[in-house]
């Protein structure tokens, strides 16, 4: 229990401190250089546009507060879903860097500026620099969230009537299937077109960078490979070979297959998703779905053709695991 509370406090700190730091950096940098800044912040929308420093600082601090509230609320709402908590931490870190960087580049562009024309954005504020930096920041945040809490091994196995495969004693099987999400591909195209338009029209790098990140996130989830073997069930990003999410065999109670009921998930839920009751990957409105009951009462579902075969393989592996455990105890 103490370890769980320690992990909870760590993740809350990692998630909520960055927005506070971002607000402090925004206010601190302005306060330190206020005597060298003009009365207006020039270049906010173009070389000739300006706004008051009070308005810019107020909006930035407001976004920091909103990020902290958002992070705290979602961290609590996803308290039983460690992987989702990691993404929440990543989001507050990325948002905090964008907020602080947005104001910092305006302050530096206006230092000792007597008036128009405003200086152009510095090279380090371009998307070619910002996007890689945000990727590194996200990876650091992912690591800083610490290890996931241990999930108990399943105490029971599949029911007698659960689907199974007929495998001989020494025979092994592997199920793998590529899955494409048309909706994720459509969203990828939308964000790419929007980002191109924003760059072409000189939109703020903060907004344009968000569109680029949204396009990458949608593309990341538009194509996956579902793999079922003796280790468990994994949803893998094929291009990078990275496991996006999965469940180990020892944490599974039973696998079933059926047809996805669209009402079982919130509208618009596609790609990787997490809710208090369900986690998994959804590629289509309905269709074949693999359902996995886990040892902590959570459900893991994946829309994948051939779900019945996958469910049979999972249950067969679970039977073998229990038989092996029984032999070890004898």
């Amino acid at each position: 229990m103490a370890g769980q509370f320690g992990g909870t406090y760590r993740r809350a700190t990692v998630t909520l401190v960055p927005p506070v730091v971002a607000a402090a950096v925004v206010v601190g940098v302005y306060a330190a250089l206020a005597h060298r800044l003009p009365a207006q912040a020039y270049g906010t929308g173009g070389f000739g546009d300006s706004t008051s420093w009070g308005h810019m600082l107020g909006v930035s601090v407001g976004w920091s507060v909103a990020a902290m509230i958002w992070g705290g609320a979602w961290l609590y709402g996803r308290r039983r879903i460690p992987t989702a908590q990691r993404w929440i931490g990543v989001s507050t870190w990325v948002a905090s860097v964008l907020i602080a960087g947005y104001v910092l580049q305006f302050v530096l562009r206006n230092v000792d500026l007597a008036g128009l024309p405003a200086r152009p954005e510095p090279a380090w504020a371009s998307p070619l620099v910002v996007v890689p930096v945000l990727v590194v920041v996200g990876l650091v945040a992912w690591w800083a969230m610490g290890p996931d809490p241990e999930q108990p091994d399943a105490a029971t196995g599949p029911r007698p009537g659960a689907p199974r495969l007929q495998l001989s004693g020494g025979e092994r099987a592997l199920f793998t299937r590529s899955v494409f999400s048309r909706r994720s591909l459509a969203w990828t195209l939308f964000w790419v077109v929007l980002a191109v338009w924003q760059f072409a029209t000189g939109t703020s790098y903060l907004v344009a960078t968000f569109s680029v990140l949204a396009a990458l996130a949608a593309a990341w989830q538009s194509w996956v490979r579902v793999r079922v073997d003796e280790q468990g069930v994994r949803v893998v990003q094929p291009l990078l070979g990275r496991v996006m999410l999965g469940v180990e065999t020892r944490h599974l109670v039973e696998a079933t297959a059926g047809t996805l009921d669209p009402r079982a998930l919130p509208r618009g839920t596609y790609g990787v998703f997490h809710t208090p009751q369900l986690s998994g990957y959804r590629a289509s409105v309905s269709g074949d779905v693999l359902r996995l009951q886990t040892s902590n009462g959570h459900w893991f579902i994946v829309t994948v053709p051939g779900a019945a075969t996958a469910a049979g393989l999972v249950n067969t592996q679970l039977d073998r695991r229990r038989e092996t455990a029984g032999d070890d105890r004898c």
Side-chain angles (χ1 to χ4, degrees):
M1 184 66 70
Q4 289 182 347
F5 277 115
T8 299
Y9 289 143
R10 172 175 179 164
R11 294 195 166 195
T13 300
V14 170
T15 301
L16 303 180
V17 167
V20 177
V21 174
V25 168
V26 166
V27 175
V29 169
Y30 172 76
L33 298 175
H35 63 287
R36 298 175 57 187
L37 297 174
Q40 296 284 314
Y42 293 108
T44 53
F47 286 177
D49 295 333
S50 66
T51 189
S52 68
W53 288 106
H55 178 265
M56 177 176 291
L57 295 177
V59 170
S60 299
V61 171
W63 276 112
S64 297
V65 173
M68 186 171 62
I69 295 174
W70 181 91
W74 278 96
L75 195 66
Y76 177 78
R78 299 294 184 263
R79 60 193 179 278
R80 297 179 181 176
I81 312 171
T83 303
Q85 288 187 332
R86 289 185 182 276
W87 285 112
I88 296 166
V90 168
S91 67
T92 60
W93 278 55
V94 169
S96 299
V97 170
L98 286 174
I99 292 168
Y102 181 71
V103 175
L104 180 60
Q105 60 96 15
F106 273 119
V107 170
L108 296 180
R109 289 168 61 189
N110 281 269
V111 170
D112 298 327
L113 187 67
L116 297 174
R119 300 187 184 99
E121 290 183 350
W124 57 264
S126 68
L128 293 178
V129 177
V130 171
V131 172
V133 168
L134 293 181
V135 171
V136 173
V137 168
L139 292 175
V140 172
W142 188 278
W143 169 82
M145 293 292 278
D148 294 337
E150 284 294 327
Q151 183 174 340
D153 289 354
T156 59
R159 298 165 298 169
R164 288 171 171 83
L165 297 184
Q166 298 298 322
L167 300 178
S168 61
E171 189 175 9
R172 300 174 60 189
L174 168 69
F175 176 91
T176 180
R177 189 69 178 262
S178 291
V179 179
F180 295 88
S181 172
R182 295 179 180 177
R183 295 216 177 188
S184 295
L185 288 171
W187 277 112
T188 300
L189 179 61
F190 168 79
W191 288 113
V192 167
V193 172
L194 182 60
V196 170
W197 175 80
Q198 289 169 339
F199 290 140
T201 56
T203 304
S204 166
Y205 89 95
L206 179 64
V207 178
T209 299
F210 175 83
S211 298
V212 172
L213 293 175
L216 292 174
W220 168 272
Q221 300 187 53
S222 62
W223 173 35
V224 302
R225 181 169 292 123
V226 180
R227 180 185 175 93
V228 182
D229 55 23
E230 65 273 10
Q231 302 299 321
V233 180
R234 285 165 287 178
V235 178
V236 182
Q237 212 296 320
L239 292 178
L240 301 179
R242 181 177 176 82
V243 177
M244 302 172 68
L245 70 168
V247 184
E248 295 182 32
T249 301
R250 63 192 182 96
H251 297 151
L252 290 173
V253 176
E254 182 180 285
T256 57
T259 302
L260 178 65
D261 182 358
R263 296 170 299 179
L265 294 172
R267 183 176 299 177
T269 300
Y270 288 90
V272 176
F273 68 89
H274 299 283
T275 73
Q277 293 79 30
L278 298 170
S279 295
Y281 180 86
R282 180 186 184 185
S284 56
V285 176
S286 58
D288 290 350
V289 61
L290 173 65
R291 298 187 182 92
L292 305 170
Q293 182 182 357
T294 66
S295 58
N296 62 0
H298 202 70
W299 285 86
F300 185 92
I301 68 173
V302 181
T303 55
V304 56
T309 302
L313 178 56
V314 170
N315 290 327
T316 301
Q317 299 290 3
L318 291 174
D319 289 342
R320 286 183 170 182
R321 174 180 170 79
R322 293 180 65 80
E323 291 171 1
T324 302
D327 292 341
D328 292 342
R329 287 193 295 267
C330 292

